[in-house]
Structures are given as structure tokens and as C-alpha cells.
Amino acid sequence: MHSIQQLRWRDVLNDVLFSSDLSFEWIKLSFEQGFQTYDRDGLYVTGAHGIAEVSPLPGYFDREIECLLAGIDTVSHPWPNKQREEVDFNSLVSNDYDLIPEVLDRYSSVKVKVHTVGDCARVKKVRDLCGPTKKIRIDCNGRFNVAEAQEILKELQSVGLELIEQPCRSNVENAELRREIDIPLAIDETARTHKEVAEAIELDAADVLVIKIQTSGGLHRAIELVDQWGGDVIVGHMMETQVGIDVGMRLAQSLDEQKYANGLAGPRLENVIREPLNI
């Protein structure tokens, strides 16, 4: 007996052409946030070249068919060879529940979500907890215009930021801001396609490209975007299980070197349910 969520994914699969050698599992992910848990669901897709995760993230990238096509791309072609084994990670602080000193100490860099001016206080808490040498970056997910982003950076001037990620909603705004600041600027939401990356290059909108497998269209499309960008890259994930993280790891390991730590630390997953999904 299929659940409503499983039936929905069967409908999604019916809208996509794929080879008969692929198999699918329905997955339910349960995340811990403080004293509460929240769930989301998706698929694992297995093919000739491995297993990939299809897990749209509401509020960030919830396009089910695009995530599914990314999974199919990932398992349908050979993966790139590793150039190295060791890959550096950053930790993630999204709320006060993430302010755990022993966890933050494991990583060379900490990324803090900053969506309001009030979130700057959390960035300062991270600096106090981690000391003066820890690298701290902020991720704004495009929440600010240029003037607002400048105010955020002014408020955090004493922290000594490593970089700012996706401060503004467009590459035009990010390019304008980049001309006015003295720390590296990374882009994510405005660099998911060849057209967007080309625009970012033309506008000189960023110093760093943040790349994620599902938003890029799969492992091999992500490689194409990295090659097109030709500069510094950070590999991240969409709050995924180890299956998805492993694909991002392979992308990071295929790069000769990286200047910045990758966003490939695992989220606070409480449970993963897997069930075969017969098509």
C-alpha cells in the first residue's frame, strides 16, 4: 500500500522518460531542530554508475522534476576520477540550537545563515565561541538589496568574515555590491545554469561559485558549470542524506585543489526511511 507521498512521486516519474535499468526507492527524511523534528521526502535512484538522491528542499529548491532529472543524470554516466581523498568541510549554524562548541571545533570554517539584521548577533556568538582564528562566512540566500547587505557587513566588520554568500537576489546587485566591499563574494542561487554563470562572469559578480548537485541538474552538469566558471568553487548540498553528500564529495574530490571549505557536513538527521518504489 503506497502512501500519498509515494503516489505523488509515482506521478512525477510518469512525467519523465528514463531507462529501464534504473530503480527507485522512496525516502522519508526526519531532521532534528532543537526539541522538534520535521520531515521531507524524496527518492533514491540507482543506475549503472551509482546511487543519487532526489530530495527537493521547500523554500530553497523544490522543483521535483528538475531534482529527479539531476538524479538520473548522476547515475547514468561514469563519475569523475578522484584527484585527492581529503576534502575540507565547513559547519553550518542556522539557529541557536546549532551553537554547540564541540561541533563547531571540528571544522576549519563556520557558515552562519544571516537573513535579518538580528541574525548578526548569532554571528558574533560564533566568533565568541570559536575564538579569533576560526574562519566565519555568512550566507544570506539573497535576502538583501545592496544597501541592506552593506549594513550587514558594517555590523559584522569586527567579526572578520571569510566571505559573504549570495547577499543579493540578482547577479546585477551582487556585482554592484562586490565593487564596494573588501571580502570575497560567493553566489549560489544566481548561478545554477550555464546562462546564469555566463551572466555572473560577464558582470564580474562574484569571486566564488557555490555548486550543488541537485540544483545544477546532476553531477555531470555540475562539472560543466565548474569548468565554465573556471575559478574558486565551494561544493554544497541541500540538507541531504549521506547518499547525496557522497555525490558532492566525488565532485569536490575531482577538483585539483580548493581554497575554501565545502558545505558537505551532514545535517542533523534523526531518521531515514527507505522503501522500494515499483513503477
Side-chain angles (χ1 to χ4, degrees):
M1 187 70 164
H2 289 299
S3 67
I4 293 174
Q5 293 93 339
Q6 290 170 311
L7 291 172
R8 189 188 80 249
W9 277 107
R10 290 185 71 181
D11 288 340
V12 173
L13 286 165
N14 286 333
D15 290 333
V16 175
L17 292 175
F18 54 87
S19 70
S20 60
D21 65 344
L22 299 181
S23 63
F24 300 90
E25 295 174 89
W26 176 75
I27 58 173
K28 180 181 178 181
L29 317 181
S30 296
F31 295 88
E32 177 188 346
Q33 186 168 0
F35 299 104
Q36 298 180 325
T37 60
Y38 66 95
D39 300 330
R40 83 179 202 261
D41 70 318
L43 301 174
Y44 286 155
V45 51
T46 302
H49 298 284
I51 182 171
E53 183 169 333
V54 179
S55 55
L57 180 57
Y60 175 75
F61 192 81
D62 56 3
R63 304 169 194 170
E64 293 176 340
I65 289 181
E66 290 186 36
C67 290
L68 175 58
L69 292 173
I72 292 172
D73 168 84
T74 297
V75 303
S76 298
H77 309 282
W79 290 16
N81 294 326
K82 295 180 183 180
Q83 301 301 318
R84 57 203 172 104
E85 290 292 336
E86 296 297 320
V87 172
D88 197 13
F89 297 168
N90 66 260
S91 61
L92 175 64
V93 172
S94 299
N95 52 64
D96 286 344
Y97 295 115
D98 295 328
L99 295 172
I100 306 172
E102 56 267 31
V103 173
L104 301 181
D105 286 345
R106 297 175 197 160
Y107 302 93
S108 64
S109 176
V110 181
K111 179 165 84 168
V112 186
K113 292 285 187 179
V114 175
H115 291 172
T116 69
V117 174
D119 291 335
C120 291
R122 189 173 297 118
V123 182
K124 294 175 182 178
K125 285 183 183 178
V126 171
R127 175 56 76 210
D128 291 341
L129 285 171
C130 296
T133 60
K134 180 76 71 176
K135 296 176 182 177
I136 300 175
R137 64 183 71 162
I138 62 172
D139 182 5
C140 308
N141 293 112
R143 297 300 176 98
F144 306 116
N145 60 34
V146 174
E148 292 167 340
Q150 288 176 313
E151 285 300 311
I152 293 291
L153 291 174
K154 182 178 179 181
E155 179 68 20
L156 294 174
Q157 190 169 7
S158 63
V159 172
L161 295 176
E162 177 190 26
L163 61 83
I164 182 170
E165 180 180 333
Q166 200 64 50
C168 303
R169 302 171 186 86
S170 71
N171 284 326
V172 171
E173 291 175 297
N174 287 320
E176 181 182 346
L177 176 66
R178 183 170 177 262
R179 290 192 291 269
E180 302 296 329
I181 64 177
D182 58 1
I183 64 170
L185 189 153
I187 52 174
D188 172 359
E189 287 92 334
T190 55
R192 293 171 171 168
T193 66
H194 287 294
K195 182 178 179 180
E196 289 173 342
V197 170
E199 178 189 58
I201 293 171
E202 181 179 359
L203 293 172
D204 209 11
D207 303 278
V208 186
L209 175 70
V210 179
I211 197 90
K212 297 183 174 80
I213 301 299
Q214 293 192 63
T215 61
S216 301
L219 174 58
H220 305 92
R221 293 184 183 275
I223 293 168
E224 292 175 0
L225 293 179
V226 169
D227 290 342
Q228 180 185 4
W229 175 248
D232 288 319
V233 172
I234 294 169
V235 183
H237 67 88
M238 302 199 316
M239 301 297 289
E240 298 168 30
T241 71
Q242 196 61 47
V243 167
I245 292 171
D246 284 347
V247 182
M249 273 287 294
R250 177 56 67 91
L251 174 58
Q253 289 170 324
S254 74
L255 304 174
D256 289 329
E257 58 182 1
Q258 289 181 280
K259 183 177 179 180
Y260 300 99
N262 296 286
L264 291 171
R268 295 169 71 179
L269 264 173
E270 186 175 85
N271 191 34
V272 180
I273 297 173
R274 302 172 63 167
E275 295 182 8
L277 189 63
N278 299 318
I279 308 301

